[in-house]
Amino acid sequence: GAGVSQSPSNKVTEKGKDVELRCDPISGHTALYWYRQSLGQGLEFLIYFQGNSAPDKSGLPSDRFSAERTGGSVSTLTIQRTQQEDSAVYLCASKVAAATDTQYFGPGTRLTVL
Amino acid sequence: ELKVEQNPLFLSMQEGKNYTIYCNYSTTSDRLYWYRQDPGKSLESLFVLLSNGAVKQEGRLMASLDTKARLSTLHITAAVHDLSATYFCAVDRISGGTSYGKLTFGQGTILTVHP
């Protein structure tokens, strides 16, 4: 079956612009996660969704970052007024339910802020 | 704050040799994951270890978990070039007896297997 998909695969933007990153989880997966991978910080948790609710937003680096999930499926991560330090690979993962085992990761979106 | 530390961070091996990657974590957790990442690719799940003493094997890789020592190991047997990749361990933080899958990752171990 289809895995987690993310779009775009690459995004280059200018400092100060807003960007939207999209994640399509595996069908039927209720739990969805966003992580960020950068050279300096490694892999960091950003936010978790159970259904359309986000019980844990503790990893969002600043109020420029927000995310939503609609219909218990697609999620969008929005970064406003991008900064160079936002450059990273943004990974989305999903699993059947929060308490189940394996998270399946998407291919990621590589964001470059010039 | 949960901390996850891997060592070594860089590992250069000859084909046919054995080696172990270590993953230490700082707080109680009964779930530990190992992932593989190839350059430019996403994370591929290798093992999920759910309880103390758990041992799982797949091909030349074997993972184990000691929750009392807060230690997991990934053992590589008779390495081959195809195993060259970055390996991450990740711990699922348990809060109030409940896990919801928020993973804290180690730094990653870059494994290079030479002929």
Side-chain angles (χ1 to χ4, degrees), chain B residues 37-55:
Chain B
Q37 187 176 39
D38 291 291
K41 304 292 185 181
S42 191
L43 297 167
E44 173 191 355
S45 176
L46 294 175
F47 300 109
V48 180
L49 302 169
L50 297 178
S51 61
N52 187 42
V55 177

PDB file of all heavy atoms in Angstrom, chain B residues 37-55:
ATOM      1  N   GLN B  37      18.912   5.111   8.000  1.00  0.00           N
ATOM      2  CA  GLN B  37      18.735   6.179   7.033  1.00  0.00           C
ATOM      3  C   GLN B  37      19.869   6.144   6.024  1.00  0.00           C
ATOM      4  O   GLN B  37      21.043   6.257   6.388  1.00  0.00           O
ATOM      5  CB  GLN B  37      18.685   7.551   7.716  1.00  0.00           C
ATOM      6  CG  GLN B  37      18.339   8.682   6.767  1.00  0.00           C
ATOM      7  CD  GLN B  37      18.189  10.016   7.469  1.00  0.00           C
ATOM      8  OE1 GLN B  37      18.943  10.333   8.380  1.00  0.00           O
ATOM      9  NE2 GLN B  37      17.195  10.807   7.051  1.00  0.00           N
ATOM     10  N   ASP B  38      19.512   5.983   4.750  1.00  0.00           N
ATOM     11  CA  ASP B  38      20.487   6.080   3.676  1.00  0.00           C
ATOM     12  C   ASP B  38      20.597   7.539   3.250  1.00  0.00           C
ATOM     13  O   ASP B  38      19.643   8.308   3.415  1.00  0.00           O
ATOM     14  CB  ASP B  38      20.070   5.192   2.511  1.00  0.00           C
ATOM     15  CG  ASP B  38      20.181   3.720   2.875  1.00  0.00           C
ATOM     16  OD1 ASP B  38      21.319   3.257   3.042  1.00  0.00           O
ATOM     17  OD2 ASP B  38      19.139   3.064   3.029  1.00  0.00           O
ATOM     18  N   PRO B  39      21.733   7.922   2.680  1.00  0.00           N
ATOM     19  CA  PRO B  39      21.936   9.332   2.306  1.00  0.00           C
ATOM     20  C   PRO B  39      20.812   9.872   1.434  1.00  0.00           C
ATOM     21  O   PRO B  39      20.443   9.259   0.427  1.00  0.00           O
ATOM     22  CB  PRO B  39      23.272   9.299   1.553  1.00  0.00           C
ATOM     23  CG  PRO B  39      23.987   8.124   2.117  1.00  0.00           C
ATOM     24  CD  PRO B  39      22.921   7.097   2.393  1.00  0.00           C
ATOM     25  N   GLY B  40      20.263  10.999   1.828  1.00  0.00           N
ATOM     26  CA  GLY B  40      19.206  11.627   1.053  1.00  0.00           C
ATOM     27  C   GLY B  40      17.857  10.938   1.152  1.00  0.00           C
ATOM     28  O   GLY B  40      16.908  11.329   0.451  1.00  0.00           O
ATOM     29  N   LYS B  41      17.760   9.940   1.991  1.00  0.00           N
ATOM     30  CA  LYS B  41      16.516   9.174   2.114  1.00  0.00           C
ATOM     31  C   LYS B  41      15.884   9.392   3.484  1.00  0.00           C
ATOM     32  O   LYS B  41      16.475  10.008   4.370  1.00  0.00           O
ATOM     33  CB  LYS B  41      16.796   7.687   1.917  1.00  0.00           C
ATOM     34  CG  LYS B  41      17.471   7.350   0.610  1.00  0.00           C
ATOM     35  CD  LYS B  41      16.575   7.585  -0.574  1.00  0.00           C
ATOM     36  CE  LYS B  41      17.229   7.113  -1.865  1.00  0.00           C
ATOM     37  NZ  LYS B  41      16.364   7.372  -3.036  1.00  0.00           N
ATOM     38  N   SER B  42      14.682   8.850   3.628  1.00  0.00           N
ATOM     39  CA  SER B  42      14.000   8.965   4.906  1.00  0.00           C
ATOM     40  C   SER B  42      14.399   7.829   5.841  1.00  0.00           C
ATOM     41  O   SER B  42      15.314   7.065   5.560  1.00  0.00           O
ATOM     42  CB  SER B  42      12.492   8.980   4.691  1.00  0.00           C
ATOM     43  OG  SER B  42      11.832   9.338   5.885  1.00  0.00           O
ATOM     44  N   LEU B  43      13.697   7.725   6.931  1.00  0.00           N
ATOM     45  CA  LEU B  43      14.017   6.734   7.956  1.00  0.00           C
ATOM     46  C   LEU B  43      13.258   5.446   7.707  1.00  0.00           C
ATOM     47  O   LEU B  43      12.045   5.448   7.503  1.00  0.00           O
ATOM     48  CB  LEU B  43      13.635   7.283   9.334  1.00  0.00           C
ATOM     49  CG  LEU B  43      14.393   8.520   9.785  1.00  0.00           C
ATOM     50  CD1 LEU B  43      13.723   9.151  10.977  1.00  0.00           C
ATOM     51  CD2 LEU B  43      15.825   8.178  10.125  1.00  0.00           C
ATOM     52  N   GLU B  44      13.981   4.354   7.778  1.00  0.00           N
ATOM     53  CA  GLU B  44      13.388   3.030   7.603  1.00  0.00           C
ATOM     54  C   GLU B  44      13.410   2.326   8.950  1.00  0.00           C
ATOM     55  O   GLU B  44      14.458   2.215   9.584  1.00  0.00           O
ATOM     56  CB  GLU B  44      14.194   2.238   6.581  1.00  0.00           C
ATOM     57  CG  GLU B  44      13.772   0.784   6.447  1.00  0.00           C
ATOM     58  CD  GLU B  44      14.768  -0.031   5.624  1.00  0.00           C
ATOM     59  OE1 GLU B  44      15.718   0.557   5.087  1.00  0.00           O
ATOM     60  OE2 GLU B  44      14.585  -1.266   5.541  1.00  0.00           O
ATOM     61  N   SER B  45      12.262   1.830   9.379  1.00  0.00           N
ATOM     62  CA  SER B  45      12.189   1.137  10.661  1.00  0.00           C
ATOM     63  C   SER B  45      12.902  -0.210  10.583  1.00  0.00           C
ATOM     64  O   SER B  45      12.679  -0.983   9.658  1.00  0.00           O
ATOM     65  CB  SER B  45      10.726   0.926  11.049  1.00  0.00           C
ATOM     66  OG  SER B  45      10.639   0.180  12.244  1.00  0.00           O
ATOM     67  N   LEU B  46      13.772  -0.467  11.558  1.00  0.00           N
ATOM     68  CA  LEU B  46      14.469  -1.750  11.630  1.00  0.00           C
ATOM     69  C   LEU B  46      13.857  -2.634  12.729  1.00  0.00           C
ATOM     70  O   LEU B  46      13.482  -3.770  12.484  1.00  0.00           O
ATOM     71  CB  LEU B  46      15.951  -1.536  11.929  1.00  0.00           C
ATOM     72  CG  LEU B  46      16.779  -0.846  10.862  1.00  0.00           C
ATOM     73  CD1 LEU B  46      18.193  -0.599  11.370  1.00  0.00           C
ATOM     74  CD2 LEU B  46      16.806  -1.669   9.583  1.00  0.00           C
ATOM     75  N   PHE B  47      13.840  -2.102  13.949  1.00  0.00           N
ATOM     76  CA  PHE B  47      13.381  -2.892  15.084  1.00  0.00           C
ATOM     77  C   PHE B  47      12.562  -2.026  16.034  1.00  0.00           C
ATOM     78  O   PHE B  47      12.837  -0.845  16.201  1.00  0.00           O
ATOM     79  CB  PHE B  47      14.576  -3.457  15.878  1.00  0.00           C
ATOM     80  CG  PHE B  47      15.478  -4.353  15.087  1.00  0.00           C
ATOM     81  CD1 PHE B  47      16.744  -3.927  14.723  1.00  0.00           C
ATOM     82  CD2 PHE B  47      15.066  -5.629  14.716  1.00  0.00           C
ATOM     83  CE1 PHE B  47      17.594  -4.748  14.003  1.00  0.00           C
ATOM     84  CE2 PHE B  47      15.904  -6.461  14.000  1.00  0.00           C
ATOM     85  CZ  PHE B  47      17.174  -6.023  13.628  1.00  0.00           C
ATOM     86  N   VAL B  48      11.609  -2.673  16.666  1.00  0.00           N
ATOM     87  CA  VAL B  48      10.885  -2.079  17.785  1.00  0.00           C
ATOM     88  C   VAL B  48      11.074  -3.013  18.964  1.00  0.00           C
ATOM     89  O   VAL B  48      10.755  -4.202  18.877  1.00  0.00           O
ATOM     90  CB  VAL B  48       9.379  -1.939  17.487  1.00  0.00           C
ATOM     91  CG1 VAL B  48       8.655  -1.311  18.659  1.00  0.00           C
ATOM     92  CG2 VAL B  48       9.166  -1.141  16.225  1.00  0.00           C
ATOM     93  N   LEU B  49      11.604  -2.502  20.045  1.00  0.00           N
ATOM     94  CA  LEU B  49      11.868  -3.307  21.241  1.00  0.00           C
ATOM     95  C   LEU B  49      10.937  -2.818  22.335  1.00  0.00           C
ATOM     96  O   LEU B  49      10.988  -1.654  22.728  1.00  0.00           O
ATOM     97  CB  LEU B  49      13.334  -3.160  21.660  1.00  0.00           C
ATOM     98  CG  LEU B  49      14.340  -3.555  20.576  1.00  0.00           C
ATOM     99  CD1 LEU B  49      15.742  -3.129  20.968  1.00  0.00           C
ATOM    100  CD2 LEU B  49      14.291  -5.055  20.341  1.00  0.00           C
ATOM    101  N   LEU B  50      10.091  -3.710  22.820  1.00  0.00           N
ATOM    102  CA  LEU B  50       8.978  -3.277  23.669  1.00  0.00           C
ATOM    103  C   LEU B  50       9.119  -3.622  25.134  1.00  0.00           C
ATOM    104  O   LEU B  50       8.312  -3.171  25.948  1.00  0.00           O
ATOM    105  CB  LEU B  50       7.673  -3.887  23.145  1.00  0.00           C
ATOM    106  CG  LEU B  50       7.272  -3.455  21.744  1.00  0.00           C
ATOM    107  CD1 LEU B  50       5.999  -4.171  21.323  1.00  0.00           C
ATOM    108  CD2 LEU B  50       7.085  -1.952  21.676  1.00  0.00           C
ATOM    109  N   SER B  51      10.085  -4.424  25.489  1.00  0.00           N
ATOM    110  CA  SER B  51      10.158  -4.803  26.896  1.00  0.00           C
ATOM    111  C   SER B  51      11.579  -5.174  27.267  1.00  0.00           C
ATOM    112  O   SER B  51      12.424  -5.451  26.409  1.00  0.00           O
ATOM    113  CB  SER B  51       9.219  -5.980  27.182  1.00  0.00           C
ATOM    114  OG  SER B  51       9.603  -7.096  26.407  1.00  0.00           O
ATOM    115  N   ASN B  52      11.811  -5.206  28.557  1.00  0.00           N
ATOM    116  CA  ASN B  52      13.141  -5.542  29.051  1.00  0.00           C
ATOM    117  C   ASN B  52      13.537  -6.937  28.579  1.00  0.00           C
ATOM    118  O   ASN B  52      12.739  -7.874  28.662  1.00  0.00           O
ATOM    119  CB  ASN B  52      13.160  -5.483  30.576  1.00  0.00           C
ATOM    120  CG  ASN B  52      14.561  -5.655  31.113  1.00  0.00           C
ATOM    121  OD1 ASN B  52      15.519  -5.095  30.578  1.00  0.00           O
ATOM    122  ND2 ASN B  52      14.696  -6.436  32.174  1.00  0.00           N
ATOM    123  N   GLY B  53      14.742  -7.038  28.085  1.00  0.00           N
ATOM    124  CA  GLY B  53      15.222  -8.341  27.632  1.00  0.00           C
ATOM    125  C   GLY B  53      14.852  -8.665  26.203  1.00  0.00           C
ATOM    126  O   GLY B  53      15.226  -9.717  25.680  1.00  0.00           O
ATOM    127  N   ALA B  54      14.125  -7.775  25.554  1.00  0.00           N
ATOM    128  CA  ALA B  54      13.717  -8.046  24.165  1.00  0.00           C
ATOM    129  C   ALA B  54      14.947  -8.141  23.267  1.00  0.00           C
ATOM    130  O   ALA B  54      15.888  -7.372  23.400  1.00  0.00           O
ATOM    131  CB  ALA B  54      12.785  -6.947  23.671  1.00  0.00           C
ATOM    132  N   VAL B  55      14.898  -9.105  22.386  1.00  0.00           N
ATOM    133  CA  VAL B  55      15.959  -9.298  21.390  1.00  0.00           C
ATOM    134  C   VAL B  55      15.284  -9.566  20.054  1.00  0.00           C
ATOM    135  O   VAL B  55      14.384 -10.404  19.970  1.00  0.00           O
ATOM    136  CB  VAL B  55      16.889 -10.475  21.744  1.00  0.00           C
ATOM    137  CG1 VAL B  55      17.929 -10.674  20.633  1.00  0.00           C
ATOM    138  CG2 VAL B  55      17.568 -10.256  23.085  1.00  0.00           C
TER     139      VAL B  55
END
